[in-house]
């Protein structure tokens, strides 16, 4: 089997200037209290809790600014060394990369009928009926999805995977350093 190598193009974000190359860099992350509430709901309402990881999440964001980059030495085209690249997508290293990723994710969720809670801008929810809903927790490049209906959870995972390359981690086992184990019989998490 051939060894597989990964490479990542990273820009020199330390050269960026506020107001020129970026405007806003703040990107929200889910609050610990929101995680606790949703895990508490999972126990009391017997919800399924699934976990996803977004592969190369930061590359999904769209740039709002007009940014040009010199050709990488590795990919420089002979005779065209003076040509620069106009970037349309975020790259690792940009100061605004996590913000742009969050904006792309937020837009996706709103297009699919999910609303943010008033308490936490990283908790999205969609209600189908009184007792039927899906709730998502968003933290950088990971997500927790909770709900009663496993088919709806699977459908949402499929929709997310069409737009963002996702790794389905199955039932939630760990979040922000907390290990999650479940004992449904005794209603413990």
């Amino acid at each position: 089997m051939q060894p597989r190598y990964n490479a990542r193009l990273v820009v020199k974000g330390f050269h960026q200037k506020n107001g020129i190359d970026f405007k806003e860099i703040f990107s929200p992350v889910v609050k610990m209290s929101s995680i606790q509430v949703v895990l508490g709901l999972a126990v009391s309402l017997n919800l399924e809790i699934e976990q996803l990881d977004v592969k190369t999440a930061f590359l999904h964001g769209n740039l709002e600014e007009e940014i040009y980059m010199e050709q990488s030495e590795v990919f420089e085209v002979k005779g065209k060394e003076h040509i620069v690249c106009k970037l349309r997508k975020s790259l690792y290293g940009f100061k605004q990369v996590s913000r742009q990723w969050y904006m792309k994710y937020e837009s996706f969720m709103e297009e699919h009928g999910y609303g943010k809670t008033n308490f936490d801008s990283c908790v999205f929810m969609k209600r189908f009926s009184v007792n039927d809903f899906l709730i998502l927790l968003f933290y950088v490049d990971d997500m927790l999805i909770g709900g009663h209906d496993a088919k709806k959870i699977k459908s949402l995972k499929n929709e997310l995977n069409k737009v963002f390359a996702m790794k389905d981690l199955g039932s939630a086992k760990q979040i922000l350093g907390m290990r999650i184990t479940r004992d449904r019989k005794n209603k413990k998490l």
Side-chain angles (χ1 to χ4, degrees):
M1 179 179 222
Q2 288 281 355
R4 187 176 165 158
Y5 301 99
N6 291 319
R8 183 173 288 159
L9 178 62
V10 179
V11 298
K12 298 177 181 176
F14 56 85
H15 286 295
Q16 289 184 277
K17 292 179 178 60
N18 190 5
I20 297 172
D21 300 319
F22 69 94
K23 295 175 190 83
E24 180 69 52
I25 61 173
F26 174 76
S27 180
V29 292
V30 70
K31 297 175 183 175
M32 187 57 77
S33 57
S34 297
I35 295 169
Q36 293 167 334
V37 166
V38 170
L39 292 178
L41 285 172
V43 172
S44 65
L45 299 176
N46 197 27
L47 301 178
E48 302 298 324
I49 298 287
E50 298 281 317
Q51 191 164 12
L52 296 167
D53 179 65
V54 185
K55 299 176 186 176
T56 62
F58 290 166
L59 301 181
H60 292 289
N62 297 322
L63 289 173
E64 295 171 353
E65 302 80 12
E66 194 166 297
I67 298 178
Y68 295 88
M69 181 182 91
E70 294 175 356
Q71 294 179 52
S72 168
E73 294 171 8
V74 178
F75 298 108
E76 199 168 67
V77 178
K78 297 290 182 208
K80 297 182 180 182
E81 294 86 358
H82 64 284
I83 294 177
V84 295
C85 304
K86 180 180 179 182
L87 301 176
R88 294 182 297 180
K89 300 292 253 174
S90 291
L91 293 175
Y92 285 87
F94 280 134
K95 293 182 184 285
Q96 71 270 39
V97 71
S98 62
R99 170 88 177 153
Q100 294 311 115
W101 156 234
Y102 172 80
M103 300 298 285
K104 180 81 170 198
Y105 175 78
E106 177 186 48
S107 174
F108 173 90
M109 296 308 293
E110 289 173 354
E111 287 172 12
H112 286 79
Y114 289 80
K116 291 186 288 189
T117 63
N118 293 331
F119 176 71
D120 191 331
S121 58
C122 289
V123 177
F124 294 82
M125 188 171 174
K126 183 174 183 178
R127 186 174 294 278
F128 301 96
S129 67
V130 176
N131 293 321
D132 188 15
F133 62 89
L134 287 181
I135 190 164
L136 283 91
L137 302 177
F138 174 82
Y139 50 101
V140 188
D141 62 349
D142 293 312
M143 294 171 216
L144 286 185
I145 304 173
H148 283 111
D149 191 337
K151 289 180 183 176
K152 284 187 175 112
I153 292 173
K154 183 176 174 132
S155 176
L156 177 58
K157 286 180 181 181
N158 290 337
E159 289 301 310
L160 284 162
N161 202 36
K162 287 178 187 176
V163 178
F164 314 112
M166 308 291 283
K167 183 176 181 182
D168 188 343
L169 301 174
S171 294
K173 293 171 186 62
Q174 186 171 336
I175 181 170
L176 300 178
M178 291 187 302
R179 186 173 300 147
I180 301 170
T181 56
R182 190 165 196 174
D183 180 354
R184 286 185 188 255
K185 182 180 170 189
N186 294 312
K187 293 188 175 186
K188 290 184 179 181
L189 188 66

